Amino acid sequence: MLKQFLLFSQPYTLNKQMDYQFKDIEQKWQQFWADNKTFKAENTTSKPKYYVLDMFPYPSGAGLHVGHPLGYIASDIFARYKRLKGFNVLHPMGYDSFGLPAEQYAIQTGQHPSVTTEANIATYRRQLDQIGFSFDWDREVRTSSPDYYKWTQWIFMQLFNSWYNKDADKAESIAKLVEHFESKGSAGINAVSDEEVLSFTADGWKAFNLQEQQAELLKYRLTYLRESTVNWCAALGTVLANDEVKDGFSERGGYPVEQKKMMQWSMRITAYAQRLLEGLDTIDWPEPLKEMQRNWIGKSVGASVRFPLDKTTHLSQLTTNYIEVFTTRVDTIFGVSFLVIAPEHELVAELTTPGQKADIDAYITQTKKKSELDRMADTKTVSGAFTGSYVTNPLNGAQIPVWIADYVLAGYGTGAVMAVPSGDQRDYLFAKHFNLPIIPIIDIQNIETEADPTKEGTYINSDFINGLGYKEATAAVVTKLEELGLGKAKVNFRMRDAIFGRQRYWGEPVPVYFKGGLPYLIEEEHLPLLLPEIDKYLPTESGEPPLGRATGWKHPEGEYELSTMPGWAGSSWYWYRYMDAHNDKEFASREAIEYWKDVDLYIGGSEHATGHLLYSRFWNKFLKDIGKVVEEEPFKKLINQGMIQGRSNFVFRLVKTGKFISYNKLKKLLAYGGLLADSNNDQDNAKAFAGLGLEYYPGIIDLWKENSTPTDTGVKTTLQYQSTHVDVNIVENDTLDLAKFKKSRPEYASAEYILEDDGKYICSWEVEKMSKSKFNVVNPDDLIARYGADTLRMYEMFLGPLEQSKPWNTNGIEGVFKFLRKFWKLFHDADFNFNVSNEAPTKAELKSLHKIIQKVEQDIERFSFNTSVSSFMIAVNELTDLKCNKRAILQDLVITLAPYAPHISEELWTLLGNPAGSISTAAYPKFNPAYLVEDEFSYPVSFNGKMKTNVSLSLTMEAADIEAAILANADVQKYLDGKTPKKVIVVKGRIVNIVI
RNA sequence: GCUCAGAUGGUGGAACUGGUAGACACGCAGGACUUAAAAUCCUGUUCCCGUUAAAGGAGUGCGGGUUCGAUUCCCGCUCUGAGUACCA
């Protein structure tokens, strides 16, 4: 047993010299592919194109663990398969190499982030190469390299120079907008813009000075500056995107995040909200992921309504005449009994009457103190304050009090709601709490204990819509409001414009300088604007971003922007760069883009659902609007690979004695604990323990007696023990490598162990996140050293469906390794001499072959890689049983296996006498159904749906003959037991069911 | 709370349009080979009852339904995981 453990991290010692030598084979072919650029993709060929893309990684310092390559292996199998199917395949890889971890490291060590990044990339590359991917490395991109971020900056400039024309429903150039302003003023412009744009005539525009014109244009640009409330993370010294904040803490690092007002670059993604939503119906993505994007975009159809302010009181000199609300249930307007505005609403101060000022101030103070987290945890408590002011209902003139409450969010809609307690549960609770009226408005509504948001029934208490149904009522109310000029149908989106700036160093500099407080683009020929060197990677003493430290970094006309672009900038267009990675004139040539068009298959994690995948679609649509790319959607088909979780192992130690106890023994001990505690007789106990295979010693009972709880029969007790994570790399199939464990700490060497009867120490296990602190990280390098890349590739696929999340468990990898050795043996004799015959194949051999040809084809097309691995095993098992070593079979079999296990396939392919490397572009064997045709079928015969026996019959027989033959069968007669069947169902070639 | 995904042996999983549940692999048990082990090979392995062999019975999270027949379709529930968070 000890020797078994000695082998743990060593390559398999194979008994014969010429057995499957994966190490030599894999190194040889990886070298060959690199030297011969086997997987170089051409931008023009007569073959149809196919673009297989992986989400490129951020090269972290920890390197790859076994979960990372899962998606890469799947996409590589697919890419290799598509090559065999005659496609010109683009399958590139690169690095999303700007990002926070390298910068954090730089702050701690003073090491330049580019140095760290370079080193990490080298590690990634080495690990990726070992797995045998068919990437075209000539097209590698790195987002942090100047010849890449030059084009990220260039796209930023195009966004800056564009505005969104709603009439044309696309982005257009700012020059065109200026033209319009010069000839017609602001009239006739239907744009997505800031809210407070000016109205002016053509002359008015010309009368503006340059400053004023620029300030106005900034309100239209697709990337623009505005003061916005941002998620400020003081510990990281930066602003975070909404999707980087989790429950009020930063996703990376878990530092507190607060709301802060800052001048920020933003991207007008909201201009594309509708197109982003509609585009989802045209792409083949997982439904949950599309749903996430739909929720994120958050379209709601409703109406905006203006409630005129009742100026009879102190409000006579107010500038505004109304409060505007957004509602999705404008039909319930006659049920409005109060208005609620957000505590941050701009009108709060003005609306507060002197008598209510104390209440309102107290409430605002209280709200501000509540952290984001409290506000979320505390959705049940009703709170609010009355401003003292009133508005009137635009349709019936009713006087309506205006309240403030934090259940209304300043950032959504207009920051104000019309409260209809009969139809909305939050309004209902609020009304109950503050004793406000609840007006029923639908005849079938039941509002005794809670709000009833039904749309069924007809309206009551609702003036001119009384008696109508939901649809007519809504239309009637909207028409009326439009007549009055106090409301209109409106679509509202939850999605906000994306913040596009970070107060950090390690990112793309924004190609902008400031003059007179306004931003101007640098000249295009000065791109890239290089990231300057700085002395420390920290904010300046005056609180400016790190770039404020750069000396002499200044545009002749003014100061450069000091913030850098966010992490998603470089990843929002990278798939185009792969098409033409070395172009220094354009981000990619027109020809390359027109040839490759879009990504046919994109594989990556679902964690990018609302970040990368939304921003990428946005930039893609913009690039299409300005005529630079050809497809509306960048990723035609997308697959989420499931997350690989860790599988942790634990060892147990009894608190009293310090002995380590094997898990199964511990379980027995625990199960037996209560019984043992009943007896104080050492002899009885010793017997009981012996029955468990445990050594008994007086005093062990005390282990339970700690924390004991008295019961009526005696004592129910708890055994005191500790569980500790143990490194999964010294555990195999939950059996601990005791020798290694003892060596890991001197204390463990001298400890005592309670083992299983066979001398093993069994660990328990649990599924957790894969992380160093849980000692459950499995490194692909170790597995490759032991079993080879082909085994790793196939095992990762064998683990289960690609899209399913699952814990990593190395148990079972041997089965795949054995399979590859068995496969190798098909081509070799008992002494491992290559031995393939040219005899004609038998029917059975051809059947095995064509079964797998068909199966692999079907499986790959539906991304079911795990089932093909099983099928390969079945095929090899069958051919082994048939003792088949015929070229006619094996040659085709090697091709079908090549996408999964490319190294062994290359080796055997050349041994078969084919030119080296040619398997990558060999033709996938043609499936011939004729070889699968059977003339007999063993019909399962069920009685009332329960399978009892099989009867073999010719497949040419028709239903009536089958029925007769089955009923005549002796076995069937026995089950019938003289009874006459009520009914016999015969499905030809499938089943016979007899109803009795 | 809402939305989505999922639940099958000791374990990972298979069963593609409703038609033999548990393929394939791990683990485990027994055996062969060996001085012994490793490697390799063979046999068995859903559970219960029972056995010389058999023959039964139950069974895909739980409770119903549709059907000749349900892991698969429908209704209700439980649990697990993910996303989202007062969205008017």
Side-chain angles (χ1 to χ4, degrees):
Chain A
M1 198 203 65
L2 260 179
K3 281 206 177 160
Q4 177 193 332
F5 292 131
L6 290 175
L7 282 166
F8 268 0
S9 53
Q10 294 162 8
Y12 255 91
T13 40
L14 302 171
N15 54 344
K16 296 270 166 56
Q17 262 298 300
M18 291 307 291
D19 198 347
Y20 170 41
Q21 300 288 341
F22 59 85
K23 210 163 214 168
D24 300 343
I25 294 171
E26 292 182 356
Q27 273 169 11
K28 170 172 150 197
W29 288 107
Q30 283 164 11
Q31 194 60 51
F32 179 91
W33 297 330
D35 292 347
N36 293 279
K37 297 194 187 296
T38 307
F39 306 113
K40 191 171 166 52
E42 298 300 336
N43 277 3
T44 46
T45 69
S46 52
K47 292 178 179 179
K49 71 103 185 182
Y50 203 92
Y51 189 172
V52 183
L53 183 66
D54 295 291
M55 288 186 188
F56 63 166
Y58 173 80
S60 82
L64 292 172
H65 70 59
V66 98
H68 295 122
L70 183 76
Y72 303 158
I73 293 169
S75 64
D76 194 60
I77 290 170
F78 203 85
R80 286 176 179 271
Y81 170 76
K82 279 287 172 184
R83 284 193 201 97
L84 297 179
K85 281 287 190 179
F87 288 84
N88 181 31
V89 174
L90 176 56
H91 185 40
M93 184 46 84
Y95 307 96
D96 190 12
S97 45
F98 270 135
L100 264 94
E103 184 160 355
Q104 291 290 83
Y105 190 73
I107 292 169
Q108 286 159 23
T109 64
Q111 170 129 243
H112 195 285
S114 68
V115 176
T116 324
T117 304
E118 192 74 29
N120 292 349
I121 286 177
T123 306
Y124 267 62
R125 178 62 190 272
R126 183 184 55 76
Q127 290 187 297
L128 291 170
D129 280 348
Q130 278 194 77
I131 303 173
F133 292 122
S134 64
F135 295 130
D136 178 357
W137 282 109
D138 285 353
R139 295 174 184 255
E140 181 199 291
V141 303
R142 299 177 184 194
T143 56
S144 62
S145 129
D147 51 345
Y148 181 89
Y149 71 68
K150 171 180 179 178
W151 300 108
T152 310
Q153 291 172 333
W154 181 85
I155 293 170
F156 177 93
M157 292 171 78
Q158 310 312 306
L159 283 155
F160 187 86
N161 276 332
S162 303
W163 64 291
Y164 201 87
N165 183 346
K166 281 202 237 177
D167 290 335
D169 201 17
K170 60 183 279 206
E172 288 180 354
S173 84
I174 284 282
K176 220 171 153 183
L177 182 67
V178 171
E179 229 169 78
H180 185 105
F181 284 167
E182 281 172 349
S183 58
K184 299 181 190 112
S186 59
I189 287 292
N190 186 11
V192 180
S193 65
D194 286 6
E195 264 154 41
E196 58 296 344
V197 291
L198 301 175
S199 286
F200 46 83
T201 61
D203 289 338
W205 174 256
K206 287 172 200 150
F208 289 158
N209 65 29
L210 187 70
Q211 283 278 71
E212 288 165 333
Q213 289 184 343
Q214 286 304 317
E216 191 59 21
L217 288 176
L218 193 55
K219 298 175 187 170
Y220 291 85
R221 297 180 189 279
L222 287 182
T223 181
Y224 62 102
L225 273 172
R226 85 160 153 203
E227 180 164 85
S228 41
T229 317
V230 295
N231 302 305
W232 172 253
C233 180
L236 293 172
T238 191
V239 163
L240 300 174
N242 282 334
D243 51 297
E244 291 171 315
V245 182
K246 282 242 147 61
D247 303 335
F249 292 89
S250 64
E251 196 176 33
R252 210 181 270 281
Y255 303 108
V257 174
E258 54 178 313
Q259 304 294 302
K260 190 178 162 184
K261 289 219 177 221
M262 266 181 97
M263 218 31 161
Q264 280 288 325
W265 283 101
S266 286
M267 288 277 167
R268 226 178 280 282
I269 187 173
T270 50
Y272 287 86
Q274 185 61 32
R275 278 166 69 187
L276 287 168
L277 192 64
E278 283 167 3
L280 291 173
D281 298 331
T282 68
I283 48 183
D284 184 6
W285 286 19
E287 201 47 52
L289 196 141
K290 290 205 231 178
E291 200 57 31
M292 266 191 250
Q293 291 212 344
R294 284 192 195 104
N295 290 339
W296 193 261
I297 295 165
K299 180 180 181 178
S300 40
V301 180
S304 69
V305 182
R306 293 175 174 183
F307 283 76
L309 279 157
D310 184 344
K311 293 203 176 183
T312 53
T313 54
H314 74 293
L315 300 164
S316 47
Q317 66 275 55
L318 255 186
T319 41
T320 177
N321 292 318
Y322 54 83
I323 296 175
E324 186 158 348
V325 304
F326 175 74
T327 177
T328 52
R329 287 297 300 276
V330 74
D331 57 301
T332 63
I333 191 161
F334 292 101
V336 175
S337 53
F338 56 102
L339 233 64
V340 187
I341 62 177
E344 300 91 341
H345 198 282
E346 51 188 358
L347 289 175
V348 170
E350 291 180 85
L351 290 174
T352 306
T353 59
Q356 291 301 113
K357 192 166 181 349
D359 271 14
I360 293 286
D361 287 351
Y363 185 70
I364 291 177
T365 319
Q366 180 204 325
T367 321
K368 272 197 180 146
K369 256 195 290 186
K370 271 205 241 175
S371 73
E372 192 83 354
L373 203 63
D374 295 336
R375 252 173 99 157
M376 285 195 310
D378 187 27
T379 56
K380 291 282 173 298
T381 319
V382 178
S383 70
F386 178 43
T387 61
S389 295
Y390 293 86
V391 291
T392 52
N393 187 318
L395 294 188
N396 65 4
Q399 215 192 26
I400 293 168
V402 179
W403 287 66
I404 66 169
D406 63 6
Y407 81 82
V408 173
L409 307 174
Y412 183 74
T414 59
V417 304
M418 56 178 227
V420 184
S422 55
D424 182 283
Q425 185 59 17
R426 289 155 312 171
D427 297 346
Y428 186 91
L429 292 172
F430 197 85
K432 282 273 183 204
H433 189 261
F434 291 108
N435 228 351
L436 293 157
I438 299 173
I439 310 164
I441 40 163
I442 298 179
D443 55 355
I444 60 159
Q445 218 168 18
N446 175 5
I447 54 171
E448 259 165 53
T449 53
E450 55 181 7
D452 182 354
T454 184
K455 292 174 182 172
E456 311 295 314
T458 56
Y459 292 85
I460 53 170
N461 299 327
S462 294
D463 203 317
F464 62 91
I465 57 167
N466 278 338
L468 297 182
Y470 170 73
K471 276 199 170 152
E472 307 89 73
T474 305
V477 169
V478 169
T479 309
K480 186 80 172 189
L481 286 168
E482 278 171 355
E483 274 169 33
L484 295 169
L486 288 173
K488 56 173 191 255
K490 195 185 170 183
V491 171
N492 204 40
F493 291 98
R494 192 179 80 106
M495 183 167 65
R496 307 282 66 154
D497 277 346
I499 288 166
F500 195 76
R502 229 153 264 203
Q503 288 58 51
R504 298 299 292 240
Y505 174 72
W506 191 232
E508 300 87 346
V510 178
V512 157
Y513 65 89
F514 285 88
K515 196 167 69 177
L518 286 168
Y520 294 87
L521 294 178
I522 67 166
E523 301 69 22
E524 204 175 305
E525 63 265 30
H526 291 157
L527 288 179
L529 176 61
L530 291 172
L531 193 58
E533 296 300 318
I534 53 176
D535 55 345
K536 276 197 280 191
Y537 305 96
L538 290 169
T540 64
E541 275 68 32
S542 55
E544 290 194 311
L547 286 184
R549 296 177 172 275
T551 47
W553 195 61
K554 201 171 165 296
H555 191 271
E557 302 275 320
E559 302 289 335
Y560 281 132
E561 166 65 55
L562 295 182
S563 59
T564 51
M565 296 189 196
W568 55 272
S571 59
S572 294
W573 68 280
Y574 76 110
W575 63 97
Y576 285 117
R577 190 61 179 169
Y578 285 135
M579 295 177 184
D580 193 8
H582 303 290
N583 196 324
D584 58 359
K585 305 281 186 299
E586 296 165 278
F587 68 90
S589 75
R590 187 83 208 166
E591 300 74 58
I593 290 169
E594 278 176 357
Y595 179 73
W596 293 110
K597 290 191 176 72
D598 56 5
V599 175
D600 294 284
L601 174 65
Y602 196 20
I603 296 189
S606 60
E607 65 272 23
H608 298 109
T610 51
H612 163 61
L613 289 172
L614 200 59
Y615 298 134
S616 293
R617 294 181 59 222
F618 159 42
W619 278 33
N620 189 80
K621 285 175 194 300
F622 168 71
L623 289 171
K624 175 162 189 265
D625 284 354
I626 64 168
K628 295 293 175 188
V629 307
V630 293
E631 294 290 332
E632 174 80 9
E633 289 290 339
F635 314 124
K636 232 187 296 189
K637 162 119 190 137
L638 184 134
I639 296 212
N640 288 132
Q641 90 267 24
M643 258 222 314
I644 297 282
Q645 294 139 300
R647 186 183 189 275
S648 310
N649 278 115
F650 298 88
V651 291
F652 297 90
R653 199 164 194 186
L654 298 172
V655 168
K656 264 286 171 77
T657 58
K659 286 190 182 189
F660 283 96
I661 180 162
S662 180
Y663 180 55
N664 291 337
K665 282 279 159 83
L666 177 72
K667 277 197 294 189
K668 281 191 202 167
L669 210 50
L670 286 170
Y672 219 68
L675 269 176
L676 280 169
D678 279 347
S679 171
N680 283 320
N681 181 319
D682 274 352
Q683 262 187 334
D684 287 354
N685 286 331
K687 224 172 167 182
F689 268 72
L692 295 173
L694 287 169
E695 180 198 353
Y696 177 79
Y697 54 94
I700 192 169
I701 296 302
D702 292 340
L703 292 170
W704 285 281
K705 293 207 169 162
E706 307 283 333
N707 299 337
S708 63
T709 328
T711 68
D712 49 356
T713 53
V715 264
K716 190 173 184 228
T717 55
T718 311
L719 175 65
Q720 282 201 306
Y721 62 91
Q722 293 175 329
S723 66
T724 317
H725 279 97
V726 60
D727 187 346
V728 295
N729 294 296
I730 60 166
V731 178
E732 189 163 286
N733 284 324
D734 295 332
T735 303
L736 180 69
D737 181 345
L738 261 181
K740 279 195 180 162
F741 182 70
K742 285 181 175 173
K743 238 192 252 171
S744 67
R745 274 216 230 168
E747 184 212 346
Y748 293 166
S750 56
E752 285 189 73
Y753 294 82
I754 302 173
L755 303 174
E756 302 298 327
D757 299 341
D758 57 5
K760 287 180 181 172
Y761 186 100
I762 306 294
C763 302
S764 78
W765 61 274
E766 238 173 74
V767 173
E768 299 179 293
K769 211 186 132 157
M770 198 175 271
S771 89
K772 255 187 184 166
S773 64
K774 297 185 167 34
F775 300 99
N776 59 8
V777 177
V778 182
N779 185 316
D781 301 15
D782 297 343
L783 293 175
I784 289 171
R786 238 178 110 189
Y787 300 104
D790 284 338
T791 298
L792 177 76
R793 287 170 64 107
M794 291 196 87
Y795 184 61
E796 292 232 5
M797 294 299 102
F798 187 61
L799 222 46
L802 178 64
E803 301 188 62
Q804 202 170 296
S805 284
K806 56 224 152 195
W808 177 266
N809 187 348
T810 310
N811 299 355
I813 195 170
E814 303 237 346
V816 173
F817 183 65
K818 277 187 211 162
F819 155 74
L820 284 175
R821 293 181 61 191
K822 217 166 164 180
F823 180 68
W824 182 259
K825 275 191 205 154
L826 281 177
F827 298 75
H828 294 84
D829 65 19
D831 300 317
F832 294 101
N833 299 308
F834 184 76
N835 179 22
V836 168
S837 94
N838 288 319
E839 274 174 66
T842 66
K843 211 179 149 193
E845 290 164 346
L846 283 165
K847 188 180 170 191
S848 282
L849 174 68
H850 283 264
K851 259 195 327 197
I852 190 73
I853 291 171
Q854 183 192 33
K855 179 77 174 148
V856 167
E857 204 163 341
Q858 288 172 345
D859 283 351
I860 292 186
E861 303 281 354
R862 65 188 174 111
F863 305 96
S864 174
F865 302 101
N866 55 323
T867 48
S868 341
V869 178
S870 301
S871 305
F872 278 123
M873 290 174 173
I874 294 170
V876 167
N877 287 347
E878 284 173 358
L879 292 173
T880 303
D881 290 344
L882 293 166
K883 301 196 183 353
C884 171
N885 70 336
K886 293 169 186 160
R887 176 180 304 274
I889 299 293
L890 298 184
Q891 172 119 343
D892 280 352
L893 184 61
V894 168
I895 301 175
T896 61
L897 186 71
Y900 291 80
H903 308 89
I904 192 174
S905 303
E906 283 273 13
E907 181 71 14
L908 291 169
W909 180 253
T910 42
L911 285 173
L912 283 164
N914 300 291
S918 61
I919 194 170
S920 296
T921 48
Y924 189 83
K926 197 157 166 19
F927 167 63
N928 184 349
Y931 294 119
L932 265 52
V933 172
E934 295 277 352
D935 28 279
E936 282 228 322
F937 178 69
S938 173
Y939 278 92
V941 180
S942 315
F943 289 80
N944 295 333
K946 202 86 187 153
M947 209 284 283
K948 291 290 179 190
T949 185
N950 285 83
V951 179
S952 221
L953 294 174
S954 160
L955 271 166
T956 55
M957 284 171 82
E958 292 305 324
D961 302 330
I962 296 169
E963 183 173 335
I966 294 283
L967 291 176
N969 181 276
D971 251 7
V972 174
Q973 286 292 331
K974 192 181 77 192
Y975 283 106
L976 271 175
D977 197 21
K979 289 179 217 135
T980 316
K982 285 197 192 118
K983 197 174 174 186
V984 180
I985 287 110
V986 177
V987 183
K988 195 183 166 190
R990 280 215 173 255
I991 199 168
V992 175
N993 190 18
I994 299 171
V995 186
I996 44 174

